[in-house]
Amino acid sequence: MNTSQYNYDDIIPSPIPATPDTLTQILYSDQYKLVLSYIRPLLLANELSLRALHLTTKTIELVPAHYTIWYYRYNIVAHLQSSKDGLPGNGLIDELDWCESMGISTLKSYQIWNYRKLIIQLIQTDKDYDFNKEFEIVARVLDEDEKNYHVWSYRKWLVETFNLYNSESELKYTADLLNKDVRNNSAWNHRFVVSLGESLSQDVFQRELDYVKKMIGVAPTNPSSWNYLKGLYKKLGKSLVDLKPFVVKYTESDNLSVYAYEILADIHVEEKNLVKSAEIYDLLGGKLDSIRVNYWKYKKSQITLGV
Amino acid sequence: MTEKLPNPELLEYLASVVASSKTQPNSTLNFDNLLEMVESITLNQTIYDTEPFTKTIEDQLSVEMDVQEIYDDVLETGSNNFPSLKREAHQMYANMFLQRQLPSGFSALDASHPWILYWLLNARVLMGEPVSKELGSKIDKTILACIDENTGAIGGGEYQLGHLASTYAGLLALALSGSTDAISKLDRKKIYRWLLSLKQEDGSFVMHHNGEVDTRAVYCALCIASLLNILDDQLTRGTSEWIGSCQTYEGGFGGIPGDEAHGGYTFCAIAALCILDSPLNLRNHVDLDNLVNWTVKRQYALEGGLSGRTNKLVDGCYSHWVGGLTPILEIAIDHKRVIDRMKLQNYILCCCQDDQFGLRDKPGKNPDFYHTNYVICGLSMCQNYQTYDLKSADVSKLGTAYGFTPVKIEDKDVVDNLPANSLAPLDPIFGLPSGVAKSLCEFFVNLDNELSSSR
């Protein structure tokens, strides 16, 4: 186990003593067995050292989802950082670089982005770190995996942490992604948080309304943009009625969208024109969106009940 | 002494499932439904011609083509050969991995031992194969070996840190084992203190110390506390409000406030709310109309299967995470048939069964333990409605999560409940066969009643 840097001669390796008669035993590779047999005694002794850090690297490389080892790694890093000698090299920056080097496959795991958050929180006092780098890394990952949930969640956390609501850069980023794929719902969701997550002014509402209308024009059958439009109105508590001319355009045969019909039905309800709403629900259930026939029947029953 | 948890309902059901699945003819109902489904799809293709051809559409079309090919084959073969549940093959798959050591490739799941066990056992029991005494004792040993002495919680494997998801899965595995030996060994006071230590000021929970917050963690924490009868105000203060704040403008729920609406996190959010309050009161905690709207939109016209997010692909596992919202929402809005069960069942039977054994995400994917369990859970949901009785003795004794009763669907227009496909009914909250969670919770409630009366 020794390397040029680290010596483990004093460690008595403790192989996994698989409890007899248990299920789900895994035939570990020799390499994984070896690493585990050395890291376990260190973990039990809670040794917060560089050589222990090295073994966490080895373990996580083999089993990226090993949350206990991630937890241990954080304790090591946090301890060394606050100790007299500190972390070697560039300290926490090296730690972020290491995270990045773990590669795309690992980035799907629940652990790595949570870990990165913890390190960023440790680093926040460090004036030398350029946080724009975080956005570059996130963008690189999203470039390969446009809808990666954890990565989007991390980007949203950055927006919250560094107060980037309505920032040019985030608006441009989502617009770029949506130009590439107008159906990227993760980008729409991110834009919603960036635009409306903190507060909502009339200017922002108008800007987003113009934007989403334009994008609906690009792809009238795209549920993401229609959801955004409805969300915008709901957030502002605005009546849908003034959308009527816009929506009607998309109920014409060469440009038809079931989402437009749905909003039109809501508008008719607001206008107390229940017969027209009911007709739309019949049309949706009967022809345009028959997989949801029972849902449209339910919607119809709701309005006729006067709910 | 091994005392079996009293669960006559389940045992009786399992016996009937096994008996009825032996002899049965195929019906043409599914077939007609599928035919109608395939013929009605003309809209999508033309739209794709006039809108930008993006990666989302490219991926979607590729799945639609695979699925269409399968459905066309089924229709060509004729109504007498409509696919049915390959019960024996899937049971063999589950048993194969329960009986032997797992190859080294499974090291990736080395922090998920309780999950492996739960997935395999749950699918197996839902398919009608009860847990023998011998297997039960092995389950118990496996889970007890994963207990983290410091917290009393269950870790992802031996010598691992207590984790909410492992504790949830481990507890479900112990419930499926059915013996009271192992569950009596759990240190509930310690587990309670641990749960409280994971609770955040805003009402949410972290998965483990220094771990991530999300609605999964909240769901797991509440399931654990409810099943162990240690749920109290201190654990639940602020939690329903926090869950409510995870609902997005689309109507589904993100993992944390602001994150994109997602099937898995939405199920966790809604099931957790049902542990805190009756499903009849769901409207008090969430925008119910928007939630129902988002949920029904997860079903895709050609595939019949469910997706986890807007503009994402269908995946068999959402038959549970999104499909599982169906019975709860049906009670909350007092309207049946929130999603189309027959079409979902078509997708499951035609597209989610591997050629050999095990269940999968979609055509072209390999089967795995996770999908095998959650696709089976979804299929069970297709076969049953749930009723809810807020005034039932179970609700007053055990809590709001225990007021559900499954009712097998007889209406052939809703789903053709063929004996060949018949599964044990699923508990809509805990992800277990009906009755199992109740037995576990009841055991602890009775134990606590005895303790307090003998004091």
Side-chain angles (χ1 to χ4, degrees), chain B residues 115 176 191:
Chain B
W115 277 114
L176 286 163
I191 295 175

Side-chain angles (χ1 to χ4, degrees), chain A residues 47 53 124 148 162 174 192 200 205 214 264 282 305:
Chain A
E47 181 181 305
L53 186 68
Q124 263 184 12
N148 184 311
F162 300 108
T174 56
F192 200 88
L200 182 56
F205 174 79
K214 187 181 86 184
L264 190 57
D282 285 342
L305 283 168

Side-chain angles (χ1 to χ4, degrees), chain B residues 27-94:
Chain B
S27 126
T28 59
L29 255 176
N30 260 330
F31 186 82
D32 293 344
N33 180 268
L34 189 65
L35 192 63
E36 178 195 306
M37 201 161 140
V38 170
E39 281 178 346
S40 70
I41 312 303
T42 49
L43 203 63
N44 279 359
Q45 320 293 347
T46 55
I47 280 155
Y48 292 159
D49 293 340
T50 59
E51 293 186 7
F53 192 78
T54 68
K55 183 158 189 299
T56 297
I57 291 192
E58 191 183 341
D59 294 346
Q60 174 63 24
L61 272 183
S62 152
V63 172
E64 286 185 7
M65 270 153 62
D66 289 349
V67 171
Q68 175 102 47
E69 198 180 315
I70 290 178
Y71 285 164
D72 285 345
D73 280 352
V74 168
L75 292 175
E76 207 167 292
T77 330
S79 60
N80 290 327
N81 292 307
F82 196 90
S84 56
L85 181 70
K86 295 191 278 186
R87 187 186 309 268
E88 278 169 24
H90 303 320
Q91 283 173 337
M92 196 174 89
Y93 175 77

